[in-house]
Amino acid sequence: MIKVAVLGYGTVGSGVVEVIESNNAEVSAKAGEEMHVGYILDLRDFPGDTYESLVIHDFNVILEDPEVSIVCEVMGGVGAAYQFTKQLLEAGKSVCTSNKELVAKHGAELLEIARDRKCSYMFEASVGGGIPVIRPITKALTAEKIEKITAILNGTTNYILTKMEKEGAGYGETLKKAQELGYAERNPEADVEGLDACRKVAILSSLMMGKNVDSGKIYTEGITKVGTADFDYAKAAGMTIKLLATSQALEDGSVLAMVTPALVPLEHPLSVVNDVYNGVFVRGNMLGDVMFYGRGAGKLPTASAVVSDVIDCARHIGRSSIVCIWDKEEARLADIEESRKRFFVRAKASAKEAAQGLFPGSSFVEAGRTEDIGFITEEMSEKEFTEKSRALGDALLGRIRLA
């Protein structure tokens, strides 16, 4: 029998236990051996819970039990979760996780330990929640040179932007609604400032490059400055606005990675990824474009992805099932200032003449508004745009890059 331990009995942790036990016949059959949860580690007690008897408070019980071969780390954070994961891997126990913060910060190190100890460190649920993304990229697309990844990786921000577009609601009231529905935390900073998406695209970038991409060095903007006026212009231009995480392998061996709001043409597949859904658009040099779509979060979808990793580990007891390349060597990040793109600019109506002089060749967008103007520039570098837009002074009301 395969004995599984679960670290953390919150939303995802309780989902992992539910998937393993409720779908036990299917899970055990696919693992090739009967599987059950042996321990649940948490600081709290859960009186009356179906699995109350499995709850323990001492991590060492799991670490020192030779019958525990696979552990699900769904605690979150990089403190105890990192220490526990490292100890487990060094003891030869495989670890499956949904912890994107930990994977983004220590993924290369933990993968190296797992390989050395002939066990596995699996993190399918860390990027797309219930959407299979990691396994397809590292296994199904191994013959490909991944050239670019463009993705919607945060359901909270996608829900907010969708409601702003469809209902004309402002950012503040839409965020409040998202919090009431449980889509946004009381402190939504990690979501709305783009930090969550940044960690996820760092993981994808590291897998794409085979080298470590530091999430702390990725240029990141959130959605807090996107307003209803921007959606008026986007609609008039035949576009929508999404928070996009992008990563592109450049010819010089560097990677251009960023997280920013972007105007997305309606003909692009990501334009129809709405509400809490996520989408990952991958371009390979031979395959071309492929897209993964589904719920990027949620108790059971995320838990299902964790348990799929558990089954993979169960099939490789005593040896590593890791097939990805993610070295500790730091990947070289391209200077965003040198990247080139088009920009949507919103400015005070009184600044139209100045804007025409600063951005010749721009296309003005008519959205039936009188208090401001909107236009789309020709392609230029970030540095050039910054210098020109600075000349508009307080007449500049906002800018959003084009996808």
Side-chain angles (χ1 to χ4, degrees), residues 363-375:
S363 303
F364 280 80
V365 180
E366 295 299 328
R369 298 175 58 87
T370 58
E371 63 271 39
D372 52 31
I373 56 170
F375 60 92

Side-chain angles (χ1 to χ4, degrees), residues 28-108:
S28 296
K30 292 170 182 175
E33 191 174 341
E34 186 178 353
M35 177 187 296
H36 286 288
V37 175
Y39 301 108
I40 299 169
L41 181 73
D42 203 284
L43 293 173
R44 303 161 293 173
D45 289 309
F46 298 87
D49 187 272
T50 304
Y51 304 102
E52 176 186 2
S53 63
L54 301 180
V55 177
I56 63 171
H57 308 300
D58 184 359
F59 167 71
N60 288 316
V61 172
I62 296 170
L63 182 64
E64 295 168 6
D65 188 338
E67 293 184 358
V68 174
S69 55
I70 304 170
V71 180
C72 301
E73 184 278 296
V74 285
M75 301 167 62
V78 292
Y82 169 63
Q83 294 300 329
F84 290 171
T85 298
K86 189 173 181 180
Q87 287 179 266
L88 290 163
L89 293 173
E90 288 173 340
K93 300 179 190 291
S94 293
V95 178
C96 306
T97 186
S98 61
N99 189 344
K100 61 260 186 182
E101 186 177 5
L102 178 58
V103 177
K105 189 169 184 178
H106 296 291

